[in-house]
Each structure stands twice: as structure tokens, then as C-alpha cells.
Amino acid sequence: MALTSTISHYDHNWPALFSAERARIEPGFLAELVTTHHVGSTAVPGLAAKPEIDLLIEVSEHIDEPQRIEFMATLGYVRGSNLSEGHHFYRRDVDGVRTHKVHVCISGHAQIARMLRFRDLLRSDPELRQRYQALKLALEAGNRDGIGEYLAGKAPFIDAVMGHG
């Protein structure tokens, strides 16, 4: 079973792709929007990544979820399962390949600080970034069961870096 996309070298277009997608998505969150962050590996210059742009939308509250799901669907997004209480998730695939992931969390949600802190640690520490990249490439090369296996393989590294393991 394949991953949602294939890891590739860092692409200097990823920040522009984030900005373009943020401009498409933010109008659907006007009443509750606090800010939008570029997170995940595509937000770390120099880091190889699955070319899936991760957006973290911070909201004041979750307002009118059915209307939000409908709006996101007009942009090609499917509502996924909540990743945790209050952490809503959307994904966008084009021709069977994942291109974007959107995390929607209320201000103060623990995942906001966690995602931003991990991104910033990778941005500021070349050795850590290289170790994480090597792990991701090894997990991709040995993957047999898809994205769940890949994510489970990354979790101990991330937890250790974040001081939770």
C-alpha cells in the first residue's frame, strides 16, 4: 500500500503554494479565523517531504461545521476524522495523490503549539532536520502498510524531540 504521495526534495515553490491555498481557504473562515500557519515538512526549507502542503487554521471557535464542510468541498477538500478533540482535519487529493492537508484548531489547542514548535526546531537545527529527513526516507523505503505505518514510525522521533518520550 502506497503513501499518500512520494517524498521529494525540498521545492522552493512550497511557500508560494501555501500562500495561494491560504488565500483560497481563508474566506470560508472569516467569522472565526484567527490566523493561518504553514506547518509540516513543506514549511521547513531544505527538508525533503511528501509534497503535501499543510495548513494549520487557528479559529476562535468551531462555527457552523456543516457550512464549513460544504465550503471546503467546493475547493476539493474532504472532511476527515478529527485527529483529536477539537482538531478538525480536511484533505485534498488530485488524481489520487494528496496535495493539501488542513488542520483546524481552536486557539489554545495543544496541537497548535506542538506543530509550530516542531516546525521551528527543524527550521533552526540542521542536524535535527537531517536526522528527521533520513528517518522519513527510511520509513518510506520500507513501508508496506501505508500512511498509518509511516506516521507511527515518525511518532517516537517527534515525541523524543518534543520531550515526551
Side-chain angles (χ1 to χ4, degrees):
M1 177 181 287
L3 298 181
T4 51
S5 61
T6 303
I7 294 174
S8 62
H9 292 291
Y10 180 78
D11 184 333
H12 292 280
N13 292 317
W14 287 340
L17 293 173
F18 161 77
S19 295
E21 197 65 12
R22 177 181 62 198
R24 280 179 11 109
I25 290 173
E26 283 186 346
F29 291 83
L30 286 181
E32 60 204 296
L33 180 67
V34 174
T35 192
T36 304
H37 306 277
H38 188 185
V39 296
S41 293
T42 62
V44 180
L47 181 61
K50 291 186 279 90
E52 303 173 6
I53 306 300
D54 281 272
L55 297 95
L56 169 57
I57 299 179
E58 187 176 338
V59 296
S60 57
E61 58 186 313
H62 291 297
I63 300 172
D64 198 355
E65 181 73 4
Q67 188 268 337
R68 181 195 293 161
I69 292 169
E70 186 176 309
F71 170 78
M72 292 296 283
T74 68
L75 302 179
Y77 284 88
V78 174
R79 173 75 154 86
S81 300
N82 288 352
L83 299 182
S84 65
E85 181 67 34
H87 182 173
H88 299 183
F89 181 73
Y90 296 84
R91 64 187 182 278
R92 181 171 185 255
D93 296 355
V94 175
D95 297 326
V97 177
R98 180 79 28 93
T99 61
H100 296 82
K101 297 175 293 207
V102 175
H103 304 264
V104 183
C105 295
I106 294 174
S107 293
H109 194 288
Q111 280 303 312
I112 296 172
R114 183 175 170 86
M115 284 189 265
L116 294 176
R117 183 165 170 250
F118 188 63
R119 178 201 66 191
D120 292 347
L121 286 169
L122 290 171
R123 283 177 172 175
S124 66
D125 186 336
E127 191 269 335
L128 178 66
R129 187 169 53 246
Q130 189 58 43
R131 285 179 31 227
Y132 187 54
Q133 178 171 292
L135 171 64
K136 291 179 0 157
L137 290 169
L139 290 170
E140 178 184 55
N143 190 278
R144 298 291 171 261
D145 294 323
I147 192 68
E149 174 189 320
Y150 176 79
L151 295 173
K154 292 191 319 179
F157 179 92
I158 295 168
D159 287 345
V161 166
M162 300 301 288
H164 298 94

